[in-house]
Amino acid sequence: SRFASIPADIFTPSDSSLAFILVNNCNIADRYAGIASFCSLIFVTVSIFLLSRYLRKKEVDFDLQEQTATDYSIEVINPPVDANDPEVWKEYMEGILPDEVQNKHVTCCTVALDNTKLINHLSARRQLMLQLELMTPPEIPFDKHNIEELGHEIPLPPTWKRYLCFATDPRALIAKIRVHEENIEEL
């Protein structure tokens, strides 16, 4: 019999026996089970490795697609003390570009001795613009140069989302962006 038994009269007065242990017929020492487990382990390990390589490559591709001001910025280490006119710097930078460069021009020139505040406002503005872009439905094209009109096209989040999820009103985001833009122009 596969089951161990004890006399049933311990619990009930009867002739039957009570089975309480199930004997498993599986042979654990079988080598095929170990090979299958080892192959599964190798497969999962290789898959995780390949997935991490793929994600690192995608991260680099994403970073190359996203162009920021730092991709085109020039920092002058030891400028003259009296060199603080952006127009003079703009003419100088356009003059040192090689003649082979077509359409060479400097779009924006900022002279800042201590630009921590400027960098903080630019970073905050960029984060708010990204948040506004993520709020924009796919059928509405995102135009960062015309965000006032965009603010009227983006639907307001439902009331329950504003209270439970702290969803932001797109008009409030645009107002914060405008405040940062004013501070940027002052600096």
Tab-separated table of all heavy atoms in Angstrom, residues 89-117:
chain	number	residue	atom	x	y	z
A	89	TRP	N	30.612	88.868	-28.069
A	89	TRP	CA	30.910	87.444	-28.029
A	89	TRP	C	30.280	86.723	-29.212
A	89	TRP	O	30.878	85.812	-29.788
A	89	TRP	CB	30.423	86.821	-26.717
A	89	TRP	CG	31.375	87.036	-25.586
A	89	TRP	CD1	31.207	87.893	-24.538
A	89	TRP	CD2	32.630	86.408	-25.383
A	89	TRP	NE1	32.281	87.833	-23.702
A	89	TRP	CE2	33.181	86.916	-24.202
A	89	TRP	CE3	33.355	85.460	-26.100
A	89	TRP	CZ2	34.401	86.505	-23.710
A	89	TRP	CZ3	34.580	85.047	-25.600
A	89	TRP	CH2	35.097	85.571	-24.420
A	90	LYS	N	29.073	87.116	-29.587
A	90	LYS	CA	28.388	86.482	-30.719
A	90	LYS	C	29.188	86.694	-32.014
A	90	LYS	O	29.422	85.764	-32.772
A	90	LYS	CB	26.977	87.055	-30.853
A	90	LYS	CG	26.175	86.425	-31.949
A	90	LYS	CD	24.763	86.971	-31.969
A	90	LYS	CE	24.003	86.349	-33.123
A	90	LYS	NZ	22.665	86.800	-33.247
A	91	GLU	N	29.629	87.924	-32.252
A	91	GLU	CA	30.432	88.219	-33.449
A	91	GLU	C	31.751	87.447	-33.416
A	91	GLU	O	32.201	86.921	-34.441
A	91	GLU	CB	30.696	89.721	-33.553
A	91	GLU	CG	29.460	90.535	-33.880
A	91	GLU	CD	29.720	92.035	-33.809
A	91	GLU	OE1	30.905	92.444	-33.753
A	91	GLU	OE2	28.735	92.782	-33.790
A	92	TYR	N	32.356	87.358	-32.231
A	92	TYR	CA	33.622	86.637	-32.098
A	92	TYR	C	33.430	85.153	-32.404
A	92	TYR	O	34.218	84.555	-33.151
A	92	TYR	CB	34.186	86.832	-30.682
A	92	TYR	CG	35.394	85.975	-30.401
A	92	TYR	CD1	36.626	86.275	-30.972
A	92	TYR	CD2	35.298	84.855	-29.587
A	92	TYR	CE1	37.733	85.479	-30.729
A	92	TYR	CE2	36.394	84.060	-29.333
A	92	TYR	CZ	37.615	84.374	-29.910
A	92	TYR	OH	38.699	83.575	-29.667
A	93	MET	N	32.382	84.540	-31.841
A	93	MET	CA	32.136	83.108	-32.052
A	93	MET	C	31.821	82.812	-33.517
A	93	MET	O	32.265	81.798	-34.059
A	93	MET	CB	30.986	82.606	-31.175
A	93	MET	CG	31.287	82.632	-29.705
A	93	MET	SD	32.595	81.488	-29.283
A	93	MET	CE	32.832	81.879	-27.574
A	94	GLU	N	31.066	83.682	-34.176
A	94	GLU	CA	30.770	83.485	-35.594
A	94	GLU	C	32.031	83.639	-36.438
A	94	GLU	O	32.174	82.985	-37.472
A	94	GLU	CB	29.694	84.454	-36.059
A	94	GLU	CG	28.312	84.099	-35.538
A	94	GLU	CD	27.263	85.136	-35.876
A	94	GLU	OE1	27.620	86.268	-36.278
A	94	GLU	OE2	26.068	84.818	-35.711
A	95	GLY	N	32.972	84.480	-36.007
A	95	GLY	CA	34.211	84.697	-36.740
A	95	GLY	C	35.179	83.538	-36.650
A	95	GLY	O	35.971	83.311	-37.567
A	96	ILE	N	35.162	82.783	-35.552
A	96	ILE	CA	36.126	81.686	-35.406
A	96	ILE	C	35.635	80.375	-36.011
A	96	ILE	O	36.395	79.427	-36.102
A	96	ILE	CB	36.519	81.469	-33.927
A	96	ILE	CG1	35.320	81.015	-33.086
A	96	ILE	CG2	37.173	82.696	-33.355
A	96	ILE	CD1	35.703	80.566	-31.679
A	97	LEU	N	34.353	80.321	-36.429
A	97	LEU	CA	33.873	79.098	-37.080
A	97	LEU	C	34.553	78.947	-38.434
A	97	LEU	O	34.760	79.918	-39.144
A	97	LEU	CB	32.350	79.157	-37.259
A	97	LEU	CG	31.527	79.040	-35.974
A	97	LEU	CD1	30.054	79.297	-36.273
A	97	LEU	CD2	31.684	77.677	-35.348
A	98	PRO	N	34.893	77.716	-38.828
A	98	PRO	CA	35.569	77.529	-40.121
A	98	PRO	C	34.664	77.934	-41.288
A	98	PRO	O	33.442	77.919	-41.191
A	98	PRO	CB	35.865	76.036	-40.163
A	98	PRO	CG	35.388	75.445	-38.899
A	98	PRO	CD	34.735	76.488	-38.087
A	99	ASP	N	35.319	78.316	-42.413
A	99	ASP	CA	34.575	78.759	-43.592
A	99	ASP	C	33.774	77.627	-44.231
A	99	ASP	O	32.813	77.878	-44.950
A	99	ASP	CB	35.534	79.355	-44.627
A	99	ASP	CG	36.145	80.662	-44.123
A	99	ASP	OD1	35.485	81.328	-43.299
A	99	ASP	OD2	37.276	80.981	-44.541
A	100	GLU	N	34.151	76.367	-43.965
A	100	GLU	CA	33.444	75.232	-44.556
A	100	GLU	C	32.057	75.036	-43.958
A	100	GLU	O	31.209	74.364	-44.531
A	100	GLU	CB	34.238	73.927	-44.372
A	100	GLU	CG	35.577	73.904	-45.075
A	100	GLU	CD	36.677	74.585	-44.269
A	100	GLU	OE1	36.633	74.543	-43.027
A	100	GLU	OE2	37.567	75.174	-44.890
A	101	VAL	N	31.825	75.609	-42.783
A	101	VAL	CA	30.535	75.450	-42.117
A	101	VAL	C	29.509	76.315	-42.837
A	101	VAL	O	29.680	77.526	-42.962
A	101	VAL	CB	30.623	75.853	-40.626
A	101	VAL	CG1	29.267	75.772	-39.974
A	101	VAL	CG2	31.639	74.998	-39.908
A	102	GLN	N	28.444	75.665	-43.323
A	102	GLN	CA	27.394	76.411	-44.013
A	102	GLN	C	26.405	76.950	-42.985
A	102	GLN	O	26.175	76.359	-41.946
A	102	GLN	CB	26.664	75.498	-44.999
A	102	GLN	CG	27.557	75.015	-46.118
A	102	GLN	CD	26.801	74.076	-47.050
A	102	GLN	OE1	25.670	73.713	-46.805
A	102	GLN	NE2	27.453	73.699	-48.134
A	103	ASN	N	25.832	78.095	-43.311
A	103	ASN	CA	24.835	78.744	-42.437
A	103	ASN	C	25.371	78.931	-41.022
A	103	ASN	O	24.690	78.669	-40.042
A	103	ASN	CB	23.536	77.939	-42.392
A	103	ASN	CG	22.887	77.832	-43.743
A	103	ASN	OD1	23.002	78.735	-44.563
A	103	ASN	ND2	22.217	76.726	-43.989
A	104	LYS	N	26.599	79.342	-40.907
A	104	LYS	CA	27.180	79.486	-39.583
A	104	LYS	C	26.639	80.755	-38.923
A	104	LYS	O	26.649	81.841	-39.505
A	104	LYS	CB	28.709	79.507	-39.644
A	104	LYS	CG	29.322	80.629	-40.453
A	104	LYS	CD	30.822	80.515	-40.414
A	104	LYS	CE	31.452	81.692	-41.126
A	104	LYS	NZ	32.891	81.679	-41.013
A	105	HIS	N	26.108	80.558	-37.757
A	105	HIS	CA	25.623	81.673	-36.952
A	105	HIS	C	25.465	81.201	-35.507
A	105	HIS	O	25.301	80.025	-35.241
A	105	HIS	CB	24.296	82.225	-37.491
A	105	HIS	CG	23.129	81.334	-37.230
A	105	HIS	ND1	22.878	80.207	-37.969
A	105	HIS	CD2	22.153	81.404	-36.301
A	105	HIS	CE1	21.790	79.612	-37.519
A	105	HIS	NE2	21.332	80.306	-36.504
A	106	VAL	N	25.536	82.147	-34.614
A	106	VAL	CA	25.325	81.863	-33.201
A	106	VAL	C	23.897	82.285	-32.892
A	106	VAL	O	23.526	83.445	-33.090
A	106	VAL	CB	26.338	82.632	-32.326
A	106	VAL	CG1	26.042	82.429	-30.861
A	106	VAL	CG2	27.758	82.201	-32.662
A	107	THR	N	23.092	81.347	-32.446
A	107	THR	CA	21.685	81.644	-32.193
A	107	THR	C	21.503	82.443	-30.918
A	107	THR	O	20.758	83.403	-30.886
A	107	THR	CB	20.897	80.321	-32.085
A	107	THR	OG1	21.104	79.585	-33.281
A	107	THR	CG2	19.419	80.585	-31.897
A	108	CYS	N	22.180	82.046	-29.885
A	108	CYS	CA	21.991	82.702	-28.586
A	108	CYS	C	23.342	82.785	-27.885
A	108	CYS	O	24.129	81.852	-27.918
A	108	CYS	CB	21.011	81.894	-27.744
A	108	CYS	SG	20.751	82.557	-26.107
A	109	CYS	N	23.570	83.901	-27.263
A	109	CYS	CA	24.807	84.083	-26.506
A	109	CYS	C	24.452	84.679	-25.151
A	109	CYS	O	23.775	85.705	-25.073
A	109	CYS	CB	25.765	84.993	-27.266
A	109	CYS	SG	27.345	85.198	-26.426
A	110	THR	N	24.882	84.014	-24.109
A	110	THR	CA	24.626	84.479	-22.750
A	110	THR	C	25.958	84.634	-22.039
A	110	THR	O	26.787	83.731	-22.071
A	110	THR	CB	23.753	83.465	-21.985
A	110	THR	OG1	22.544	83.271	-22.695
A	110	THR	CG2	23.451	83.945	-20.590
A	111	VAL	N	26.144	85.765	-21.412
A	111	VAL	CA	27.335	85.992	-20.607
A	111	VAL	C	26.893	85.940	-19.156
A	111	VAL	O	26.080	86.755	-18.723
A	111	VAL	CB	27.996	87.347	-20.932
A	111	VAL	CG1	29.178	87.581	-20.018
A	111	VAL	CG2	28.420	87.390	-22.380
A	112	ALA	N	27.382	84.941	-18.437
A	112	ALA	CA	27.002	84.772	-17.041
A	112	ALA	C	28.236	84.399	-16.248
A	112	ALA	O	28.915	83.430	-16.566
A	112	ALA	CB	25.943	83.691	-16.913
A	113	LEU	N	28.505	85.190	-15.231
A	113	LEU	CA	29.654	84.902	-14.388
A	113	LEU	C	29.310	83.824	-13.367
A	113	LEU	O	30.073	82.921	-13.134
A	113	LEU	CB	30.130	86.178	-13.701
A	113	LEU	CG	30.557	87.298	-14.647
A	113	LEU	CD1	30.938	88.542	-13.873
A	113	LEU	CD2	31.718	86.839	-15.509
A	114	ASP	N	28.161	83.949	-12.756
A	114	ASP	CA	27.680	82.929	-11.828
A	114	ASP	C	26.292	82.533	-12.304
A	114	ASP	O	25.305	83.180	-11.990
A	114	ASP	CB	27.642	83.485	-10.402
A	114	ASP	CG	27.243	82.428	-9.397
A	114	ASP	OD1	27.316	81.232	-9.735
A	114	ASP	OD2	26.845	82.794	-8.279
A	115	ASN	N	26.222	81.477	-13.088
A	115	ASN	CA	24.970	81.142	-13.760
A	115	ASN	C	24.202	80.002	-13.104
A	115	ASN	O	23.417	79.324	-13.764
A	115	ASN	CB	25.226	80.831	-15.230
A	115	ASN	CG	26.120	79.637	-15.425
A	115	ASN	OD1	26.666	79.116	-14.468
A	115	ASN	ND2	26.264	79.205	-16.651
A	116	THR	N	24.375	79.777	-11.826
A	116	THR	CA	23.656	78.705	-11.139
A	116	THR	C	22.153	78.937	-11.184
A	116	THR	O	21.385	78.017	-11.452
A	116	THR	CB	24.124	78.602	-9.671
A	116	THR	OG1	25.538	78.478	-9.650
A	116	THR	CG2	23.501	77.425	-8.974
A	117	LYS	N	21.725	80.180	-10.950
A	117	LYS	CA	20.295	80.482	-10.993
A	117	LYS	C	19.739	80.269	-12.398
A	117	LYS	O	18.640	79.730	-12.562
A	117	LYS	CB	20.034	81.919	-10.546
A	117	LYS	CG	20.252	82.160	-9.075
A	117	LYS	CD	19.931	83.594	-8.720
A	117	LYS	CE	20.172	83.874	-7.260
A	117	LYS	NZ	19.893	85.282	-6.915
